[in-house]
Amino acid sequence: DVKVTQSSRYLVKRTGEKVFLECVQDMDHENMFWYRQDPGLGLRLIYFSYDVKMKEKGDIPEGYSVSREKKERFSLILESASTNQTSMYLCASTPSQGRGSYTFGSGTRLTVV
Amino acid sequence: SQQGEEDPQALSIQEGENATMNCSYKTSINNLQWYRQNSGRGLVHLILIRSNEREKHSGRLRVTLDTSKKSSSLLITASRAADTASYFCATWGSNYQLIWGAGTKLIIKP
């Protein structure tokens, strides 16, 4: 089974801190995605990557950056965390071939205080 | 951006009853997918139905697709407490990403 692992289930950070959310997948998928999920707002795409060192902005990239130095790892960076970035963060991956399904990680619940 | 719209937004039924959720979408599709999300967890892929298919089964799940109405339904038969979750439909957009609906929250009462 494809596995997508997010490094933390729960995270509490202070306003202004630099925050790293890590995501690792073990099935050699080319495409990786970061979403945030808030009540009533559904899944919103922050950034995605089609290959190593490639990144594309999603619908809400402001306040975030990403890094993909290796194929299996896609990191989301909050440069200076703010309280409005308190959310559930979900990582997903999918192969580049065809239009198949996504495999999601278990999510990271980030609270910024 | 969201293409799919699930209906209803929330559904509460007794254990053992069938649950039906609907999804409408706006543009032509290659396939349509359904996912489940248990509270506080990631999404799990349930079933994919291609645009040339009208019905698909997987265990207690039955998905139908009507491309003329741009709609799909997910039926869960003989519901169980473990089916309590949010259910999302998703379709592939023009920029090779899944576009998500807002989800249906299903509660199974014991």
Side-chain angles (χ1 to χ4, degrees):
Chain A
D1 274 358
V2 177
K3 198 167 182 181
V4 177
T5 303
Q6 293 183 233
S7 53
S8 305
R9 284 289 317 281
Y10 300 96
L11 213 50
V12 180
K13 295 291 182 181
R14 294 197 180 278
T15 300
E17 275 193 76
K18 190 168 186 176
V19 181
F20 292 85
L21 301 183
E22 305 287 347
C23 176
V24 177
Q25 51 93 4
D26 65 0
M27 275 298 285
D28 206 35
H29 285 176
E30 289 78 16
N31 302 336
M32 296 187 75
F33 306 84
W34 274 107
Y35 290 90
R36 66 176 282 178
Q37 186 179 30
D38 302 286
L41 295 177
L43 284 161
R44 293 184 291 169
L45 182 63
I46 305 171
Y47 266 98
F48 58 100
S49 170
Y50 289 136
D51 205 346
V52 176
K53 296 194 185 294
M54 294 186 68
K55 60 185 179 184
E56 298 284 344
K57 293 180 180 179
D59 298 320
I60 52 162
E62 296 77 19
Y64 303 93
S65 63
V66 290
S67 172
R68 191 149 181 218
E69 295 298 316
K70 294 184 177 181
K71 192 175 186 178
E72 66 270 20
R73 185 180 297 270
F74 191 35
S75 303
L76 180 69
I77 304 157
L78 286 65
E79 297 291 342
S80 177
S82 64
T83 55
N84 63 13
Q85 292 178 311
T86 291
S87 187
M88 168 70 98
Y89 289 88
L90 295 166
C91 176
S93 73
T94 191
S96 62
Q97 304 293 338
R99 298 187 178 190
S101 61
Y102 283 16
T103 301
F104 281 83
S106 296
T108 296
R109 173 78 63 185
L110 173 67
T111 302
V112 182
V113 298
Chain B
S1 58
Q2 294 186 357
Q3 156 146 269
E5 294 289 336
E6 286 91 345
D7 168 49
Q9 290 187 336
L11 180 61
S12 181
I13 61 172
Q14 293 293 140
E15 192 168 17
E17 292 181 343
N18 295 341
T20 300
M21 289 158 271
N22 303 297
C23 169
S24 60
Y25 57 91
K26 296 173 185 170
T27 62
S28 60
I29 61 170
N30 176 274
N31 63 58
L32 185 142
Q33 305 179 30
W34 285 91
Y35 289 75
R36 182 188 74 234
Q37 183 182 32
N38 292 96
S39 181
R41 308 291 297 194
L43 282 73
V44 174
H45 178 252
L46 294 176
I47 196 165
L48 180 153
I49 186 165
R50 302 188 192 287
S51 59
N52 61 353
E53 297 175 312
R54 292 296 167 258
E55 189 170 311
K56 199 161 182 181
H57 297 255
S58 177
R60 293 183 297 113
L61 305 181
R62 173 179 168 249
V63 169
T64 61
L65 180 65
D66 186 335
T67 53
S68 66
K69 295 181 180 177
K70 291 187 168 59
S71 68
S72 173
S73 67
L74 171 66
L75 168 68
I76 304 174
T77 59
S79 62
R80 304 168 182 170
D83 296 328
T84 293
S86 291
Y87 292 82
F88 295 86
C89 67
T91 57
W92 280 94
S94 58
N95 55 356
Y96 297 96
Q97 299 164 29
L98 279 176
I99 302 175
W100 300 89
T104 292
K105 189 168 185 177
L106 175 65
I107 297 172
I108 307 299
K109 296 180 287 187

